Amino acid sequence: MNTLAGADLGAMLQLVPVRRAGVALLLAAVGLPVIGVVIVGLDIMPVRFAMMHVALLGIAVGLLTGLDPMLCALVACALSGAGVAPLARTPAGLSGAMGLLMSLAIAAALLLLAVSGVNASGAFALLWGSILSVGTADLVVLGALAVAVPTLFWWRRREVGLLLYDRELAQCSGVPVRFLTTALLVLVAVAVAGAIKLTGALLVDALTLLPALAARRLGRSLWSITLWAVGIGVAVNATGFLLALWLDWPPGPVLVLTAGAVVLAAHLIPERRTSSWRAPASVTPASPPSSH
């Protein structure tokens, strides 16, 4: 039985759609867990929910106009991410704005699909993902994120560390807070849209947030947390995908459960630190938080 299952798994791995899906998950494991570190560090959990709904609106526009639905979703999310960036500087933060954006986006998407008569099954199918339909364009987007996100973190690691630690401290230290916040929010928005086809909008946390949550428990600095997040992302994506193929189960839920198991296991490890990675930072601009 095990030999037969192994032979079946080997045969499946020879299929082009399966190989493309595997490459997509490996690319996603490089960039998207770092996005999760940003989401956790900036405390912008509602953003990912709002972007899921904005992506659905973009897909609806694509279906109506005949354009590539995923391209429309990426553009809609990028514009929304840039548009809400100024609200991050307000005392209320992004929570209220994200709730409004989420409600308006889903209402507009549903109305657009109903009025236009477009078959909504294609749009709502992406709520559950379609990993074996990954195409060249999806690989290009994920590859760009795999390069852009770690590059930005390395190039601006001190500024990113200060921003995630304390916005006012970063501003006083000469960090371009407005530009950096906008860039990070756009990357978060595009990453959520880019990962939708892999796990579905409802399960996108498996690729972004869950590796970051586990890494935050294991790392002692922003840089070590980032490295842990990428490592966990690669391990979770590879293990979850192979397990899903072997058991003939939907990859999305398997990836989520695999990542969730890693998060739970990480929290069973006795904590060697007294507080989060932000704690060692001084309240003076002269001693920024560690980013190495």
Side-chain angles (χ1 to χ4, degrees), residues 2-288:
N2 290 337
T3 303
L4 181 60
D8 291 341
L9 179 59
M12 283 188 288
L13 291 175
Q14 300 302 315
L15 300 176
V16 173
V18 174
R19 287 186 173 184
R20 282 188 175 180
V23 171
L25 284 172
L26 288 178
L27 291 174
V30 176
L32 300 189
V34 184
I35 292 296
V37 174
V38 174
I39 292 174
V40 173
L42 289 178
D43 193 19
I44 52 173
M45 303 289 183
V47 170
R48 70 193 196 282
F49 295 115
M51 292 308 156
M52 294 174 196
H53 292 76
V54 171
L56 183 60
L57 175 59
I59 292 168
V61 171
L63 292 174
L64 178 63
T65 60
L67 300 173
D68 185 349
M70 288 307 300
L71 177 61
C72 292
L74 287 170
V75 172
C77 287
L79 293 176
S80 298
V84 301
L87 298 175
R89 300 191 300 273
T90 63
L94 290 172
S95 297
M98 289 301 100
L100 176 62
L101 179 61
M102 181 167 39
S103 301
L104 294 178
I106 190 63
L110 293 175
L111 182 61
L112 188 61
L113 291 171
V115 171
S116 65
V118 173
N119 186 357
S121 60
F124 287 100
L126 290 176
L127 293 176
W128 294 272
S130 182
I131 192 170
L132 294 180
S133 66
V134 168
T136 302
D138 302 302
L139 293 178
V140 169
V141 171
L142 292 170
L145 288 170
V147 173
V149 175
T151 298
L152 178 62
F153 251 61
W154 174 255
W155 177 41
R156 296 280 189 173
R157 59 191 182 278
R158 177 183 176 275
E159 290 88 347
V160 170
L162 278 170
L163 177 62
L164 298 185
Y165 170 67
D166 187 284
R167 176 181 296 274
E168 293 183 0
L169 176 60
Q171 188 83 51
C172 295
S173 302
V175 174
V177 170
R178 180 177 301 182
F179 164 77
L180 199 54
T181 300
T182 301
L184 290 175
L185 285 175
V186 168
L187 285 175
V188 169
V190 172
V192 170
I196 283 179
K197 188 174 284 189
L198 300 183
T199 61
L202 299 178
L203 301 177
V204 72
D205 288 349
L207 303 181
T208 56
L209 189 61
L210 295 183
L213 291 177
R216 195 177 184 187
R217 179 76 178 188
L218 301 172
R220 297 190 176 188
S221 67
L222 176 59
W223 190 242
S224 67
I225 287 174
T226 303
L227 293 177
W228 269 109
V230 172
I232 291 170
V234 171
V236 164
N237 287 4
T239 303
F241 186 54
L242 291 175
L243 188 61
L245 291 176
W246 183 51
L247 297 174
D248 193 22
W249 288 354
V254 175
L255 286 169
V256 173
L257 292 174
T258 304
V262 172
V263 174
L264 292 175
H267 280 76
L268 291 176
I269 299 174
E271 193 171 11
R272 293 174 295 175
R273 300 166 295 146
T274 57
S275 56
S276 71
W277 62 268
R278 300 183 182 189
S282 170
V283 294
T284 63
S287 301

